[in-house]
Amino acid sequence: MTPHAARRVRVAILTIIMFGVVAVFLSPLAQMALTSLKSERQISQAYAPLLPSDPRTFAYQGRRYDVYLVPVGGEVRELALVEKGRTESGFVDPDRPQDGVITWQGSWRALRPSWTLAPQWSNYADVWNLIDFPRLLFNTAAIALIGTLGTVLSCTLVGYGFARFRFPGRGPLFTLLIATIFLPATVTLIPTYTVFARIGWVGTWLPLLVPAFFANAYSVFLLRQYFMTIPREMDEAAAIDGAGPLRTLLSVIVPQAWPAISAVTLFNFVYTWNDYFTPLVYLSGRPDLQPLQVGLAAFNGLYTHNPAYIQAGTMMTIAVPVLLFACFQRAFMRGVMSTGVDK
């Protein structure tokens, strides 16, 4: 085998392996999407097909009858059950109903029904109305957008300060900031809730939005690392032209830091969009202000008998983050890869 052929074989094997890995990781999402399109009857039926389907029926003499897979003469045929019995039953061939009733010996309960592909797109419309999805979607989008805006603004300013300004205690302060990453949120939950309760913020969006405007260690670290890769000579050139620190940030740093800013934006938007615990704590008594995650959890408790509704609501909830990642994945990957530099 020539070196070129061997290389093509290795590439083909690696591609097959990667497709297999991707298929394994995406299989739960595919299963969730298929379940969201199934009927309640199919989900509760034993030996139901994987794809969304309905039991096949056939109209005979003004009535509709279920079609079953019936072994007849060494082959399996699709026949409509028109006369039920314990030891023998009557069937009609949907392709040749003029032949009349066919008597079959055996218990019809042991037969498997015949299925036909029938996605239940109405599940999404039902969930849209039952869960009051437009209101929950508006609440979630408002909280996510405002919180992400506050995080990006505050973290950009703080990261710029640590990357470009020299002041006493900069190193220890940055170390202290990074150390907060290791502080579990459960440790500060009760003190934070007590403070917000005393100032009357519980039952409003303020506990979810105001802290976002005070930066967080993880996003500050990513932005600082990226800002430090931008040559300081560009800051000096801007200063010679009369630009102050804020103008330098807006006109020099930010335009070159869009990959990192995009990564931070996507990180925080998805985190805020998926956050369940914090809105549950502060908005448990205000259903009109709750986001999708809290409303969907309550909806799941009411419709545990119909998993299709639950999966349809979940698919509608994750649609926005998935679309955002699909649209901005290139900028996102560039921002993540370029923030782990040696400076």
Side-chain angles (χ1 to χ4, degrees):
M1 183 181 294
T2 63
H4 180 69
R7 180 176 179 275
R8 294 181 63 180
V9 171
R10 289 195 299 269
V11 171
I13 294 175
L14 181 60
T15 302
I16 294 174
I17 294 175
M18 293 307 298
F19 268 110
V21 173
V22 172
V24 170
F25 274 94
L26 293 181
S27 57
L29 182 62
Q31 178 66 24
M32 183 168 60
L34 292 176
T35 303
S36 68
L37 296 174
K38 294 181 179 180
S39 63
E40 186 176 357
R41 178 179 179 182
Q42 180 186 2
I43 294 175
S44 61
Q45 186 82 27
Y47 305 107
L50 179 63
L51 297 178
S53 306
D54 270 346
R56 183 184 173 189
T57 60
F58 174 69
Y60 181 71
Q61 294 183 353
R63 295 181 58 185
R64 301 201 69 86
Y65 299 94
D66 292 332
V67 178
Y68 290 86
L69 302 176
V70 184
V72 178
E75 63 177 354
V76 178
R77 299 171 59 184
E78 295 186 353
L79 303 177
L81 176 60
V82 296
E83 297 176 0
K84 297 180 180 180
R86 291 188 176 183
T87 58
E88 64 178 22
S89 301
F91 291 87
V92 170
D93 189 345
D95 297 329
R96 303 185 61 181
Q98 65 275 10
D99 293 345
V101 177
I102 303 172
T103 301
W104 179 79
Q105 301 294 328
S107 174
W108 67 270
R109 297 183 183 276
L111 300 175
R112 294 187 180 183
S114 175
W115 297 86
T116 180
L117 186 64
Q120 302 295 319
W121 297 106
S122 59
N123 288 344
Y124 286 87
D126 293 341
V127 173
W128 181 278
N129 296 321
L130 291 172
I131 200 177
D132 195 5
F133 198 86
R135 177 182 58 81
L136 296 177
L137 181 63
F138 171 79
N139 294 344
T140 307
I143 294 173
L145 290 174
I146 297 174
T148 301
L149 176 63
T151 298
V152 172
L153 288 176
S154 58
C155 291
T156 300
L157 293 174
V158 176
Y160 177 61
F162 278 117
R164 285 297 193 259
F165 295 97
R166 300 184 181 276
F167 51 88
R170 184 181 69 166
L173 283 176
F174 185 72
T175 303
L176 180 63
L177 175 66
I178 298 302
T180 60
I181 296 177
F182 304 99
L183 186 64
T186 53
V187 174
T188 60
L189 175 62
I190 295 178
T192 304
Y193 182 87
T194 302
V195 172
F196 288 146
R198 288 184 177 274
I199 61 179
W201 285 7
V202 174
T204 68
W205 285 352
L206 294 177
L208 309 179
L209 301 180
V210 173
F213 287 84
F214 289 89
N216 64 79
Y218 184 71
S219 299
V220 168
F221 175 76
L222 289 181
L223 292 175
R224 172 188 177 272
Q225 294 298 102
Y226 197 97
F227 292 162
M228 292 181 67
T229 65
I230 301 175
R232 286 182 175 270
E233 288 78 6
M234 302 188 69
D235 297 27
E236 296 170 358
I240 292 175
D241 291 338
L246 183 59
R247 172 57 63 183
T248 301
L249 172 64
L250 296 177
S251 301
V252 177
I253 302 298
V254 170
Q256 299 185 71
W258 274 121
I261 295 175
S262 299
V264 169
T265 301
L266 191 58
F267 268 132
N268 286 276
F269 182 87
V270 173
Y271 174 80
T272 307
W273 186 277
N274 294 330
D275 189 18
Y276 166 75
F277 184 71
T278 306
L280 177 66
V281 170
Y282 293 105
L283 300 175
S284 58
R286 295 294 304 273
D288 57 314
L289 298 179
Q290 291 174 354
L292 275 169
Q293 288 67 30
V294 180
L296 187 62
F299 178 79
N300 294 350
L302 296 175
Y303 290 91
T304 53
H305 63 280
N306 192 349
Y309 279 0
I310 298 175
Q311 300 300 344
T314 304
M315 290 295 298
M316 294 164 64
T317 302
I318 68 174
V320 173
V322 170
L323 291 176
L324 283 177
F325 181 79
C327 295
F328 299 101
Q329 60 176 330
R330 181 172 298 180
F332 172 75
M333 296 306 299
R334 285 178 55 196
V336 172
M337 294 174 61
S338 57
T339 50
V341 294
D342 58 351
K343 291 188 179 183

